[in-house]
Amino acid sequence: INHIVHNGGLYKRPFNEAFEETPMLVAVLTYVGYGVLTLFGYLRDFMRQWKIEKCQNATEREEQKDFVPLYQDFENFYNRNLYMRIRDSWNRPICSVPGAKVDMMERVSHDYNWTFTYTGRVIKDIINMGSYNYLGFAQKAGTCQKAAAKVLSHYGAGVCSTRQEMGNLDKHEELEKLVARFLGVESAMAYGMGFATNSMNIPALVGKGCLILSDELNHASLVLGARLSGATIRIFKHNNMQSLEKLLKDAIVHGQPRTRRPWKKILILVEGIYSMEGSIVRLPEVIALKKKYKSYLYLDEAHSIGALGPSGRGVVEYFGLSPEDVDVMMGTFTKSFGAAGGYIGGKKELIDYLRTYSHSAVYATSLSPPVVEQIITSMKCIMGEDGTTVGKARVQQLAENTRYFRRRLKEMGFIIYGNEDSPVVPLMLYMPAKIGAFGREMLKRNIGVVVVGFPATPIIESRARFCLSAAHTKEMLDTALKEINEVGDLLQLKYSRHRLVPLLDRPFDETTYEETED
Amino acid sequence: VQEKEELIEEWQPEPLVPPVPKDHPALNYNIVSGPPTHIITVNGKECINFASFNFLGLLDNEKVKSAAQASLKKYGVGTCGPRGFYGTFDVHLELEERLAKFMRTEEAIIYSYGFATIASAIPAYSKRGDIVFVDEAACFAIQKGLQASRSNIKLFKHNDMADLERLLKEQETEDQKNPRKARVTRRFIVVEGLYMNTGDVCPLPELIKLKYKYKVRIFLEESLSFGVLGEHGRGITEHFGINIDDIDLISANMENSLASIGGFCCGRSFIIDHQRLSGQGYCFSASLPPLLAAAAIEALSIMEDNPDIFQTLRAKCERIHKALQGISGLKVVGESFSPALHLQLEESCGFQENDVKLLKRVVDYCMNSGIALTQARYLEKEEKCLPPPSIRVVITVEQTEQELDKTASLLKEAAQSVLN
């Protein structure tokens, strides 16, 4: 049963999100699998210590052997004994543009993944289901590339200065005006790295005496930014509005923990699309709560900008809301625009403040000019300002691809997490052996997928994650689906019993929140 | 419940951001039209560039640009993914190999943003409970890395080895009280090769002696000294003739001498490989766009093929350092071979804001006469030890001797007219 939410008219369209519960047998087998691996890990460590087995990791210098050890043995247990076995599923080197099809350099290992050698052969035309190329702007030819080439020959590659000193080019001003227009906000500011945008601006906005309410599954950059700010952090359950409301009420009623003084400000940190779950934030409810409790909202649209909404303006447009309701709209240019960097958009006072006090504006180099040109051209294309309908067509193609792909996978019987409209599709694998096996089998069939396990996900919920793109044609998707079907049968991955837990009935824990204090 | 409702009604938060006065010195940026090369157009006026860290003049180099163009035609602009998920290109691997070979270390790792390099490297090794001895004049990126690591920070006076030794001795006595804890507490010294805030070098040979005496690891930040110091540009280790394996980790950004974007860390595989799984800025962020990596490779090749540019740069630095001595009202801060100098007021007015205003007038005078300069910018409330306001003077290999002399005389004039 799919649970469709129409919460008191806040939602203008059905919100279909589902997380099927892990089947009991699968959970038990997964724990057994990890138990076996751990036992073998201890055995191998024992053999290595007693020199029965050759130790292959790099070791400390002879002259520094009496220094305090740099790494604790136990920290690296997981790395040595579990990660090493399936290390070839990650860091796969490619040698072509990361579009819908990609060329990969073949590498083999003769010593069980401790070292790799490149055979020199290139595996061509692998269907790329791992790169964040939502609107297909990762291209090596076309208007974006030509414009970037022109700017590169005029401006050069680097900037060699910070924004506040001599690094503010006219191109940056042009970009920021365009981003503000695209988002529908008063003003915007662009930064050189998406990760750094979060970790350097959250500390500028909040400090000691403020409260940050952060979602359970927020990205590492948001967590780091929150920690560096010095504010108190409280975590609410993923996308769970009752949990958030309880935290807000308690915060205002009880004030700061020891002194009982009122909080200076409350900032809610959420993401548009959560990349490991494929879920979309319940934005209408969050905005209603934020208005009721007078707090501020920081929305990280790293994955949702360009990918959601009828004209690609992100999760705010997807829900039909006004960008003025979100206090700080943050996003990155890496995913849908095929470039690099991040931005923050909002009211003019906010952006003026960030121009003066953001760590990135004072100490970090500004964006590289050809990258800026790529963003400008691709953004104009999405907005339709370049005179073609290519942008609109791509946004629609992505939405169609998403719905088609998810529907077919669910029909085949896999457990798929997340919202029906999210182009990030996590397919559950659970067992540790299947993580490596899935990645390798798909590569044999010329399809590149991304598999993730602990610690990016909870230990028994490892998954394969597909990122759909507007550049994928229906034939490519069909080929991929056929192969996934085969591999699913081979590895017995079709766990779904079509018994979906309705969202409002998920157990909500009445006790307390988790507070993390540095 | 009624009370709670009232409390919720009454509570008023602060505004999200306080208003910024319109004439705040950092609010109105200089707008540069066109490339920030040797001749730069700032706010519509053409000037000679003494403010961009383009030490070796590679920003404008045709070979670098054509290498980047070739890469753009092959790979497009962005990488659309982090290193772990189809974001590793053969250019990245090549750049890492070339950097490791150039610096004569085992391995190198690349980050896509200069600031994030040292700010992610430090927390990967130093955790809660570890001890880090850091120089007072360390740059902001190092401070953020230390803050993220949650370790105990002990500041020692700038370049004062006696002060550092005192702190190390104190730590030793602490260790003897609690040997069990001492056995698992890691210790690090973090220094910069050429300090951005003061323009001088760290006394590396003494640091190495202290390292082996007190069993502390050294992390060296070489953003300004990479491609500047040393016979072949390998940085401060070559400058002092020290074995590079004695330094545990060297971190540098590619945004100064290499005129690209990003940063790298190099050292032994034992140390560098750890960052591939625990460097936050490496694992959770998209990789460096291939065209920037290709530009860096080409710039590195140029550095390897023309080792005499370092001598030329040093000669120019010495020349202007001498020429700037004796300006009434301004003193030169920095070594004679440092390409990034500071000009500070000899006598401060007492208020930092007034100092900043005075220096702004000097800078404006120079800009109107065709020399582009900038004030060194800091976040006043966030820095641990705020350096005094200053004008940054950057020397590049492209500046001619006439231009250097002109700048020196112009600064003399400006100081005369503004400060007297």
Side-chain angles (χ1 to χ4, degrees), chain A residues 58-61 63-64 66-72 75 79 83 90-98 105 118 130-133 138-140 145 148-149 152-161 163-166 168-170 173 189 192-193 195-196 200 205 219-220 224 227-228 249 252-253 262-266 293-294 296 327-328 334 338-340 349-350 352-353 355-357 359-366 368 370-371 374 448-452 465 518, chain B residues 4 7-9 11-18 20 24 26-27 29-36 40 42 51-54 59 65 68-69 72-86 88-90 93 112-113 115-116 125 128 140 144 147-148 150 182-188 211-212 215-217 243 245-246 248 255-256 259-261 268 270-271 274 277 280-281 284-286 289 291-292 295 372-379 382-383 392:
Chain A
T59 47
E60 181 66 274
R61 278 174 87 203
E63 297 91 331
Q64 292 181 214
D66 53 346
F67 281 42
V68 176
L70 193 53
Y71 314 119
Q72 285 172 329
E75 257 173 47
N79 193 4
Y83 174 73
W90 294 288
N91 292 306
R92 289 181 174 161
I94 65 179
C95 48
S96 76
V97 64
M105 287 163 63
Y118 295 101
S131 289
Y132 301 135
N133 182 19
Q139 293 167 309
K140 60 181 184 184
Q145 185 263 342
L152 176 59
S153 61
H154 184 213
Y155 284 82
V159 184
C160 301
S161 189
R163 276 317 274 284
Q164 284 194 358
E165 294 187 10
M166 207 46 86
N168 184 40
L169 307 177
D170 45 2
E173 304 270 323
M189 185 168 178
M193 186 196 198
F195 185 98
M200 298 210 247
L205 293 173
H219 190 254
L224 183 63
R227 267 185 42 210
L228 286 177
K249 269 208 186 101
I252 301 183
V253 166
W263 294 103
K264 287 198 203 151
K265 334 175 210 196
I266 301 184
Y293 294 97
K294 291 177 271 200
Y296 301 111
D327 301 287
V328 189
T334 330
E349 297 91 56
L350 171 70
D352 279 345
Y353 181 83
R355 277 172 176 263
T356 327
Y357 293 105
H359 304 183
S360 169
V362 187
Y363 294 106
T365 323
S366 28
S368 160
V371 173
Q374 161 81 14
V449 298
V450 158
V451 289
V452 250
R465 190 182 68 173
D518 263 3
Chain B
K4 288 193 179 176
L7 281 167
I8 295 174
E9 274 295 313
W11 180 67
Q12 276 299 117
E14 278 180 10
L16 181 58
V17 288
V20 177
H24 195 285
L27 182 54
Y29 294 166
N30 293 322
I31 302 184
V32 176
S33 350
I40 186 176
V42 186
S52 299
F53 291 112
N54 182 15
L59 193 64
K65 283 192 199 174
Q69 291 278 13
L72 178 60
K73 283 199 181 58
K74 187 172 175 203
Y75 299 106
V77 175
T79 54
C80 299
R83 287 292 287 260
F85 303 151
Y86 301 99
T88 305
F89 285 57
D90 44 357
L93 299 172
S112 55
Y113 204 45
F115 189 101
Y125 302 102
R128 202 195 280 269
F140 195 70
K144 285 292 135 183
Q147 195 187 351
R150 299 196 254 207
R183 249 185 307 205
V184 289
T185 314
R186 294 171 276 238
R187 302 119 212 280
F188 303 96
K211 165 185 171 160
Y212 286 111
K215 316 246 181 294
V216 198
R217 295 175 199 268
N243 177 9
D245 281 335
D246 277 333
D248 293 273
E255 292 161 359
N256 302 332
S260 179
I261 303 272
R268 296 182 67 243
F270 174 68
I271 306 216
H274 181 70
L277 282 180
Q280 292 224 316
F284 296 112
S285 179
L291 69 97
L292 297 169
L373 289 171
T374 176
Q375 281 196 50
R377 299 273 180 211
Y378 305 105
L379 278 173
E382 307 273 339
E383 288 263 3
R392 215 192 273 286

Side-chain angles (χ1 to χ4, degrees), chain B residues 102-116:
Chain B
F102 178 75
M103 294 294 284
R104 298 200 202 130
T105 57
E106 274 180 15
E107 203 176 322
I109 180 176
I110 299 181
Y111 285 82
S112 55
Y113 204 45
F115 189 101

Side-chain angles (χ1 to χ4, degrees), chain A residues 2 12 25 44 62 70 80 84 92 104 129 235 242 258 268 289 298 311 314 329 333 344 351 364 369 447 451-452 487:
Chain A
N2 240 326
K12 301 188 178 85
L25 179 62
R44 300 288 282 273
E62 275 309 317
L70 193 53
R80 274 195 307 272
M84 232 8 126
R92 289 181 174 161
M104 204 177 95
M129 309 227 61
I235 301 185
Q242 290 101 315
R258 279 175 295 271
I268 305 176
L289 280 174
Y298 185 105
S311 65
M329 288 183 74
F333 299 121
I344 288 195
I351 301 298
I447 302 190
V451 289
V452 250
V487 174

